[in-house]
mmCIF file of all heavy atoms in Angstrom:
data_model
loop_
_atom_site.group_PDB
_atom_site.id
_atom_site.type_symbol
_atom_site.label_atom_id
_atom_site.label_comp_id
_atom_site.label_asym_id
_atom_site.label_seq_id
_atom_site.Cartn_x
_atom_site.Cartn_y
_atom_site.Cartn_z
ATOM 1 N N TYR A 8 106.229 50.363 -23.280
ATOM 2 C CA TYR A 8 105.317 51.387 -23.833
ATOM 3 C C TYR A 8 106.109 52.403 -24.650
ATOM 4 O O TYR A 8 105.658 52.874 -25.617
ATOM 5 C CB TYR A 8 104.651 52.113 -22.699
ATOM 6 C CG TYR A 8 103.502 51.350 -22.076
ATOM 7 C CD1 TYR A 8 103.615 50.166 -21.515
ATOM 8 C CD2 TYR A 8 102.117 51.939 -22.136
ATOM 9 C CE1 TYR A 8 102.559 49.461 -20.930
ATOM 10 C CE2 TYR A 8 101.069 51.245 -21.499
ATOM 11 C CZ TYR A 8 101.315 50.069 -20.944
ATOM 12 O OH TYR A 8 100.160 49.329 -20.429
ATOM 13 N N LYS A 9 107.251 52.795 -24.245
ATOM 14 C CA LYS A 9 108.115 53.680 -24.962
ATOM 15 C C LYS A 9 109.495 53.025 -25.107
ATOM 16 O O LYS A 9 110.150 52.688 -24.097
ATOM 17 C CB LYS A 9 108.228 54.992 -24.123
ATOM 18 C CG LYS A 9 106.856 55.750 -23.994
ATOM 19 C CD LYS A 9 107.067 57.012 -23.354
ATOM 20 C CE LYS A 9 106.703 56.994 -21.911
ATOM 21 N NZ LYS A 9 107.809 56.801 -21.010
ATOM 22 N N GLU A 14 121.970 57.006 -25.285
ATOM 23 C CA GLU A 14 122.607 58.071 -25.995
ATOM 24 C C GLU A 14 123.582 57.496 -26.993
ATOM 25 O O GLU A 14 123.776 58.044 -28.109
ATOM 26 C CB GLU A 14 123.456 58.961 -25.055
ATOM 27 C CG GLU A 14 122.691 60.228 -24.736
ATOM 28 C CD GLU A 14 123.265 61.149 -23.735
ATOM 29 O OE1 GLU A 14 124.522 61.071 -23.542
ATOM 30 O OE2 GLU A 14 122.595 61.912 -23.090
ATOM 31 N N ARG A 83 116.528 64.500 -27.705
ATOM 32 C CA ARG A 83 116.521 63.196 -28.401
ATOM 33 C C ARG A 83 117.221 62.252 -27.557
ATOM 34 O O ARG A 83 117.994 62.641 -26.740
ATOM 35 C CB ARG A 83 117.087 63.314 -29.831
ATOM 36 C CG ARG A 83 116.621 64.455 -30.649
ATOM 37 C CD ARG A 83 116.909 64.242 -32.162
ATOM 38 N NE ARG A 83 116.244 62.961 -32.590
ATOM 39 C CZ ARG A 83 114.961 63.051 -32.945
ATOM 40 N NH1 ARG A 83 114.273 64.125 -33.035
ATOM 41 N NH2 ARG A 83 114.316 61.932 -33.345
ATOM 42 N N THR A 112 110.225 72.119 -27.105
ATOM 43 C CA THR A 112 109.527 73.394 -26.983
ATOM 44 C C THR A 112 108.987 73.757 -28.336
ATOM 45 O O THR A 112 107.949 74.480 -28.472
ATOM 46 C CB THR A 112 110.294 74.442 -26.313
ATOM 47 O OG1 THR A 112 110.401 74.020 -24.892
ATOM 48 C CG2 THR A 112 109.698 75.784 -26.287
ATOM 49 N N MET A 151 114.729 78.877 -31.427
ATOM 50 C CA MET A 151 115.477 78.138 -30.480
ATOM 51 C C MET A 151 116.917 77.860 -30.852
ATOM 52 O O MET A 151 117.841 78.086 -30.150
ATOM 53 C CB MET A 151 114.757 76.887 -30.131
ATOM 54 C CG MET A 151 113.324 76.992 -29.444
ATOM 55 S SD MET A 151 112.577 75.374 -29.353
ATOM 56 C CE MET A 151 113.691 74.504 -28.114
ATOM 57 N N ARG A 176 103.890 83.388 -31.380
ATOM 58 C CA ARG A 176 104.739 84.597 -31.506
ATOM 59 C C ARG A 176 105.461 84.829 -30.120
ATOM 60 O O ARG A 176 106.647 85.126 -30.201
ATOM 61 C CB ARG A 176 103.832 85.826 -31.829
ATOM 62 C CG ARG A 176 104.595 87.080 -32.088
ATOM 63 C CD ARG A 176 103.704 88.266 -32.120
ATOM 64 N NE ARG A 176 103.051 88.492 -30.721
ATOM 65 C CZ ARG A 176 101.869 88.861 -30.474
ATOM 66 N NH1 ARG A 176 101.050 89.116 -31.413
ATOM 67 N NH2 ARG A 176 101.350 88.985 -29.296
ATOM 68 N N GLU A 177 104.775 84.708 -28.972
ATOM 69 C CA GLU A 177 105.541 84.999 -27.787
ATOM 70 C C GLU A 177 106.591 83.907 -27.474
ATOM 71 O O GLU A 177 107.531 84.215 -26.862
ATOM 72 C CB GLU A 177 104.460 84.995 -26.643
ATOM 73 C CG GLU A 177 103.599 86.198 -26.616
ATOM 74 C CD GLU A 177 104.421 87.528 -26.801
ATOM 75 O OE1 GLU A 177 105.380 87.770 -26.120
ATOM 76 O OE2 GLU A 177 103.910 88.445 -27.527
ATOM 77 N N ARG A 180 109.438 85.086 -29.400
ATOM 78 C CA ARG A 180 110.030 86.203 -28.748
ATOM 79 C C ARG A 180 110.905 85.847 -27.541
ATOM 80 O O ARG A 180 111.894 86.466 -27.241
ATOM 81 C CB ARG A 180 108.980 87.211 -28.306
ATOM 82 C CG ARG A 180 108.411 88.127 -29.499
ATOM 83 C CD ARG A 180 107.379 89.009 -28.952
ATOM 84 N NE ARG A 180 107.879 90.208 -28.357
ATOM 85 C CZ ARG A 180 107.162 91.016 -27.497
ATOM 86 N NH1 ARG A 180 105.931 90.825 -27.303
ATOM 87 N NH2 ARG A 180 107.723 92.176 -27.110
ATOM 88 N N THR A 181 110.403 84.761 -26.839
ATOM 89 C CA THR A 181 111.170 84.307 -25.667
ATOM 90 C C THR A 181 112.516 83.870 -26.179
ATOM 91 O O THR A 181 113.505 84.010 -25.478
ATOM 92 C CB THR A 181 110.469 83.039 -25.050
ATOM 93 O OG1 THR A 181 109.100 83.505 -24.627
ATOM 94 C CG2 THR A 181 111.102 82.557 -23.786
ATOM 95 N N TYR A 182 112.649 83.353 -27.350
ATOM 96 C CA TYR A 182 113.898 83.045 -27.861
ATOM 97 C C TYR A 182 114.620 84.072 -28.725
ATOM 98 O O TYR A 182 115.496 83.834 -29.410
ATOM 99 C CB TYR A 182 113.716 81.593 -28.718
ATOM 100 C CG TYR A 182 113.478 80.504 -27.782
ATOM 101 C CD1 TYR A 182 112.202 80.089 -27.565
ATOM 102 C CD2 TYR A 182 114.574 79.894 -27.076
ATOM 103 C CE1 TYR A 182 111.945 79.065 -26.596
ATOM 104 C CE2 TYR A 182 114.273 78.765 -26.266
ATOM 105 C CZ TYR A 182 112.994 78.418 -25.966
ATOM 106 O OH TYR A 182 112.773 77.358 -25.234
ATOM 107 N N ALA A 379 93.853 61.426 -28.358
ATOM 108 C CA ALA A 379 94.175 62.070 -27.146
ATOM 109 C C ALA A 379 93.601 61.502 -25.902
ATOM 110 O O ALA A 379 94.276 61.349 -24.943
ATOM 111 C CB ALA A 379 93.750 63.615 -27.195
ATOM 112 N N ARG A 380 92.360 60.964 -25.983
ATOM 113 C CA ARG A 380 91.727 60.487 -24.904
ATOM 114 C C ARG A 380 92.177 59.073 -24.417
ATOM 115 O O ARG A 380 92.156 58.785 -23.200
ATOM 116 C CB ARG A 380 90.161 60.387 -25.110
ATOM 117 C CG ARG A 380 89.490 61.730 -25.217
ATOM 118 C CD ARG A 380 88.077 61.570 -25.305
ATOM 119 N NE ARG A 380 87.458 62.962 -25.395
ATOM 120 C CZ ARG A 380 86.128 63.272 -25.251
ATOM 121 N NH1 ARG A 380 85.316 62.265 -25.100
ATOM 122 N NH2 ARG A 380 85.760 64.526 -25.375
ATOM 123 N N GLY A 383 96.758 59.911 -24.269
ATOM 124 C CA GLY A 383 97.124 61.024 -23.340
ATOM 125 C C GLY A 383 97.974 62.089 -24.003
ATOM 126 O O GLY A 383 98.439 63.009 -23.249
ATOM 127 N N LEU A 385 97.940 65.180 -26.764
ATOM 128 C CA LEU A 385 97.161 66.082 -27.622
ATOM 129 C C LEU A 385 97.921 66.373 -28.813
ATOM 130 O O LEU A 385 98.943 67.014 -28.921
ATOM 131 C CB LEU A 385 96.908 67.370 -26.792
ATOM 132 C CG LEU A 385 95.857 68.379 -27.510
ATOM 133 C CD1 LEU A 385 94.379 67.861 -27.209
ATOM 134 C CD2 LEU A 385 96.093 69.733 -27.232
ATOM 135 N N GLU A 429 88.867 74.285 -30.602
ATOM 136 C CA GLU A 429 87.620 74.902 -30.179
ATOM 137 C C GLU A 429 86.593 74.924 -31.222
ATOM 138 O O GLU A 429 85.371 74.566 -30.975
ATOM 139 C CB GLU A 429 88.038 76.402 -29.673
ATOM 140 C CG GLU A 429 86.866 77.118 -29.171
ATOM 141 C CD GLU A 429 87.240 78.544 -28.687
ATOM 142 O OE1 GLU A 429 88.253 79.026 -29.020
ATOM 143 O OE2 GLU A 429 86.384 79.120 -28.001
ATOM 144 N N HIS A 432 85.155 71.477 -31.441
ATOM 145 C CA HIS A 432 84.276 71.208 -30.253
ATOM 146 C C HIS A 432 82.924 71.947 -30.374
ATOM 147 O O HIS A 432 81.895 71.347 -29.920
ATOM 148 C CB HIS A 432 84.940 71.699 -28.934
ATOM 149 C CG HIS A 432 86.136 70.878 -28.538
ATOM 150 N ND1 HIS A 432 87.159 71.401 -27.906
ATOM 151 C CD2 HIS A 432 86.478 69.577 -28.834
ATOM 152 C CE1 HIS A 432 88.116 70.463 -27.754
ATOM 153 N NE2 HIS A 432 87.710 69.435 -28.285
ATOM 154 N N ASP A 433 83.010 73.184 -30.948
ATOM 155 C CA ASP A 433 81.809 73.954 -31.099
ATOM 156 C C ASP A 433 80.915 73.581 -32.303
ATOM 157 O O ASP A 433 79.928 74.242 -32.632
ATOM 158 C CB ASP A 433 82.061 75.457 -31.127
ATOM 159 C CG ASP A 433 82.607 75.888 -29.749
ATOM 160 O OD1 ASP A 433 82.497 75.193 -28.726
ATOM 161 O OD2 ASP A 433 83.293 76.995 -29.681
ATOM 162 N N TYR B 8 122.799 63.202 -20.880
ATOM 163 C CA TYR B 8 122.039 64.411 -20.823
ATOM 164 C C TYR B 8 120.628 64.127 -20.132
ATOM 165 O O TYR B 8 120.191 65.007 -19.301
ATOM 166 C CB TYR B 8 121.745 64.998 -22.232
ATOM 167 C CG TYR B 8 122.904 65.801 -22.815
ATOM 168 C CD1 TYR B 8 124.171 65.256 -23.002
ATOM 169 C CD2 TYR B 8 122.777 67.108 -23.231
ATOM 170 C CE1 TYR B 8 125.207 65.911 -23.609
ATOM 171 C CE2 TYR B 8 123.758 67.758 -23.665
ATOM 172 C CZ TYR B 8 124.973 67.264 -23.952
ATOM 173 O OH TYR B 8 126.029 67.918 -24.469
ATOM 174 N N LYS B 9 120.200 63.031 -20.463
ATOM 175 C CA LYS B 9 118.870 62.648 -19.756
ATOM 176 C C LYS B 9 118.966 61.225 -19.242
ATOM 177 O O LYS B 9 119.351 60.326 -19.984
ATOM 178 C CB LYS B 9 117.672 62.678 -20.815
ATOM 179 C CG LYS B 9 117.457 64.140 -21.340
ATOM 180 C CD LYS B 9 116.226 64.181 -22.275
ATOM 181 C CE LYS B 9 116.706 64.053 -23.659
ATOM 182 N NZ LYS B 9 116.665 62.809 -24.352
ATOM 183 N N GLU B 14 111.533 50.659 -17.896
ATOM 184 C CA GLU B 14 110.258 50.427 -17.312
ATOM 185 C C GLU B 14 110.272 49.521 -16.025
ATOM 186 O O GLU B 14 109.550 49.692 -15.082
ATOM 187 C CB GLU B 14 109.345 49.769 -18.348
ATOM 188 C CG GLU B 14 108.449 50.675 -18.951
ATOM 189 C CD GLU B 14 107.489 49.955 -20.121
ATOM 190 O OE1 GLU B 14 107.273 48.856 -19.982
ATOM 191 O OE2 GLU B 14 107.179 50.761 -20.969
ATOM 192 N N ARG B 83 105.741 58.110 -18.237
ATOM 193 C CA ARG B 83 106.734 58.061 -17.268
ATOM 194 C C ARG B 83 107.684 56.854 -17.795
ATOM 195 O O ARG B 83 107.222 56.084 -18.568
ATOM 196 C CB ARG B 83 106.288 57.745 -15.821
ATOM 197 C CG ARG B 83 105.270 58.758 -15.314
ATOM 198 C CD ARG B 83 105.174 58.663 -13.893
ATOM 199 N NE ARG B 83 106.457 59.183 -13.240
ATOM 200 C CZ ARG B 83 106.720 60.519 -13.115
ATOM 201 N NH1 ARG B 83 105.852 61.433 -13.440
ATOM 202 N NH2 ARG B 83 107.829 60.889 -12.610
ATOM 203 N N THR B 112 100.502 65.855 -21.640
ATOM 204 C CA THR B 112 99.655 66.788 -22.156
ATOM 205 C C THR B 112 99.133 67.737 -21.072
ATOM 206 O O THR B 112 98.786 68.853 -21.241
ATOM 207 C CB THR B 112 98.496 66.213 -22.921
ATOM 208 O OG1 THR B 112 99.110 65.671 -24.234
ATOM 209 C CG2 THR B 112 97.382 67.148 -23.354
ATOM 210 N N MET B 151 92.116 64.444 -18.212
ATOM 211 C CA MET B 151 92.764 63.341 -18.947
ATOM 212 C C MET B 151 92.465 61.987 -18.130
ATOM 213 O O MET B 151 92.209 60.896 -18.731
ATOM 214 C CB MET B 151 94.288 63.455 -18.949
ATOM 215 C CG MET B 151 94.571 64.574 -19.987
ATOM 216 S SD MET B 151 96.385 65.030 -19.883
ATOM 217 C CE MET B 151 97.108 63.625 -20.664
ATOM 218 N N GLU B 177 89.991 74.580 -23.628
ATOM 219 C CA GLU B 177 89.778 73.768 -24.830
ATOM 220 C C GLU B 177 90.474 72.401 -24.721
ATOM 221 O O GLU B 177 90.033 71.271 -25.137
ATOM 222 C CB GLU B 177 90.326 74.411 -26.066
ATOM 223 C CG GLU B 177 89.355 75.634 -26.545
ATOM 224 C CD GLU B 177 87.856 75.162 -26.527
ATOM 225 O OE1 GLU B 177 87.492 73.969 -27.126
ATOM 226 O OE2 GLU B 177 87.057 75.963 -26.062
ATOM 227 N N ARG B 180 88.248 70.418 -22.593
ATOM 228 C CA ARG B 180 87.114 70.020 -23.293
ATOM 229 C C ARG B 180 87.450 68.900 -24.248
ATOM 230 O O ARG B 180 86.583 67.999 -24.516
ATOM 231 C CB ARG B 180 86.523 71.149 -24.161
ATOM 232 C CG ARG B 180 85.683 72.125 -23.386
ATOM 233 C CD ARG B 180 85.224 73.319 -24.222
ATOM 234 N NE ARG B 180 84.016 72.899 -25.015
ATOM 235 C CZ ARG B 180 83.647 73.608 -26.047
ATOM 236 N NH1 ARG B 180 84.257 74.704 -26.537
ATOM 237 N NH2 ARG B 180 82.493 73.239 -26.692
ATOM 238 N N THR B 181 88.594 68.896 -24.698
ATOM 239 C CA THR B 181 89.052 67.806 -25.613
ATOM 240 C C THR B 181 88.994 66.396 -24.857
ATOM 241 O O THR B 181 88.694 65.361 -25.424
ATOM 242 C CB THR B 181 90.505 68.041 -26.090
ATOM 243 O OG1 THR B 181 90.628 69.234 -26.833
ATOM 244 C CG2 THR B 181 91.019 66.903 -26.989
ATOM 245 N N TYR B 182 89.266 66.517 -23.560
ATOM 246 C CA TYR B 182 89.164 65.332 -22.790
ATOM 247 C C TYR B 182 87.773 65.194 -22.161
ATOM 248 O O TYR B 182 87.600 64.415 -21.165
ATOM 249 C CB TYR B 182 90.209 65.355 -21.707
ATOM 250 C CG TYR B 182 91.643 65.183 -22.360
ATOM 251 C CD1 TYR B 182 92.415 66.144 -22.673
ATOM 252 C CD2 TYR B 182 92.063 63.801 -22.672
ATOM 253 C CE1 TYR B 182 93.608 65.880 -23.380
ATOM 254 C CE2 TYR B 182 93.212 63.517 -23.289
ATOM 255 C CZ TYR B 182 94.056 64.662 -23.690
ATOM 256 O OH TYR B 182 95.229 64.371 -24.250
ATOM 257 N N ALA B 379 115.300 78.775 -20.768
ATOM 258 C CA ALA B 379 114.695 78.333 -22.079
ATOM 259 C C ALA B 379 115.668 78.473 -23.222
ATOM 260 O O ALA B 379 115.799 77.628 -24.007
ATOM 261 C CB ALA B 379 113.451 79.187 -22.398
ATOM 262 N N ARG B 380 116.516 79.516 -23.101
ATOM 263 C CA ARG B 380 117.372 79.801 -24.291
ATOM 264 C C ARG B 380 118.580 78.771 -24.279
ATOM 265 O O ARG B 380 119.121 78.590 -25.428
ATOM 266 C CB ARG B 380 117.951 81.139 -24.204
ATOM 267 C CG ARG B 380 116.781 82.144 -24.599
ATOM 268 C CD ARG B 380 117.324 83.611 -24.802
ATOM 269 N NE ARG B 380 116.135 84.486 -25.177
ATOM 270 C CZ ARG B 380 116.281 85.730 -25.487
ATOM 271 N NH1 ARG B 380 117.541 86.244 -25.635
ATOM 272 N NH2 ARG B 380 115.241 86.466 -25.792
ATOM 273 N N GLY B 383 116.503 74.861 -23.815
ATOM 274 C CA GLY B 383 115.552 74.445 -24.924
ATOM 275 C C GLY B 383 114.147 74.146 -24.416
ATOM 276 O O GLY B 383 113.270 73.740 -25.205
ATOM 277 N N LEU B 385 110.659 75.508 -22.527
ATOM 278 C CA LEU B 385 110.074 76.694 -22.029
ATOM 279 C C LEU B 385 109.315 76.276 -20.696
ATOM 280 O O LEU B 385 108.367 75.671 -20.739
ATOM 281 C CB LEU B 385 108.981 77.133 -22.983
ATOM 282 C CG LEU B 385 108.283 78.423 -22.803
ATOM 283 C CD1 LEU B 385 109.224 79.632 -23.211
ATOM 284 C CD2 LEU B 385 107.013 78.528 -23.396
ATOM 285 N N GLU B 429 104.286 87.228 -22.501
ATOM 286 C CA GLU B 429 104.121 88.461 -23.242
ATOM 287 C C GLU B 429 104.154 89.701 -22.367
ATOM 288 O O GLU B 429 104.874 90.690 -22.710
ATOM 289 C CB GLU B 429 102.660 88.473 -23.950
ATOM 290 C CG GLU B 429 102.459 89.636 -24.871
ATOM 291 C CD GLU B 429 101.065 89.528 -25.591
ATOM 292 O OE1 GLU B 429 100.231 88.621 -25.185
ATOM 293 O OE2 GLU B 429 100.888 90.227 -26.593
ATOM 294 N N HIS B 432 107.771 90.191 -21.777
ATOM 295 C CA HIS B 432 108.596 90.726 -22.803
ATOM 296 C C HIS B 432 108.185 92.217 -23.112
ATOM 297 O O HIS B 432 109.049 92.987 -23.596
ATOM 298 C CB HIS B 432 108.190 89.980 -24.164
ATOM 299 C CG HIS B 432 108.615 88.511 -24.098
ATOM 300 N ND1 HIS B 432 107.902 87.537 -24.682
ATOM 301 C CD2 HIS B 432 109.715 87.959 -23.563
ATOM 302 C CE1 HIS B 432 108.506 86.445 -24.446
ATOM 303 N NE2 HIS B 432 109.624 86.625 -23.710
ATOM 304 N N ASP B 433 106.947 92.555 -22.914
ATOM 305 C CA ASP B 433 106.601 93.940 -23.172
ATOM 306 C C ASP B 433 106.956 94.915 -22.060
ATOM 307 O O ASP B 433 106.557 96.113 -22.051
ATOM 308 C CB ASP B 433 105.106 94.036 -23.422
ATOM 309 C CG ASP B 433 104.716 93.353 -24.730
ATOM 310 O OD1 ASP B 433 105.541 93.175 -25.609
ATOM 311 O OD2 ASP B 433 103.442 93.066 -24.906
#
Side-chain angles (χ1 to χ4, degrees):
Chain A
Y8 280 60
K9 292 183 267 96
E14 260 178 28
R83 309 199 65 82
T112 290
M151 292 172 69
R176 182 194 63 217
E177 289 310 317
R180 282 180 81 195
T181 301
Y182 289 94
R380 290 187 180 192
L385 188 82
E429 182 176 14
H432 293 147
D433 292 342
Chain B
Y8 280 60
K9 292 182 268 98
E14 260 178 28
R83 308 199 67 81
T112 291
M151 293 172 69
E177 289 309 317
R180 282 179 81 195
T181 302
Y182 289 95
R380 290 188 180 190
L385 188 83
E429 182 177 15
H432 294 146
D433 292 342

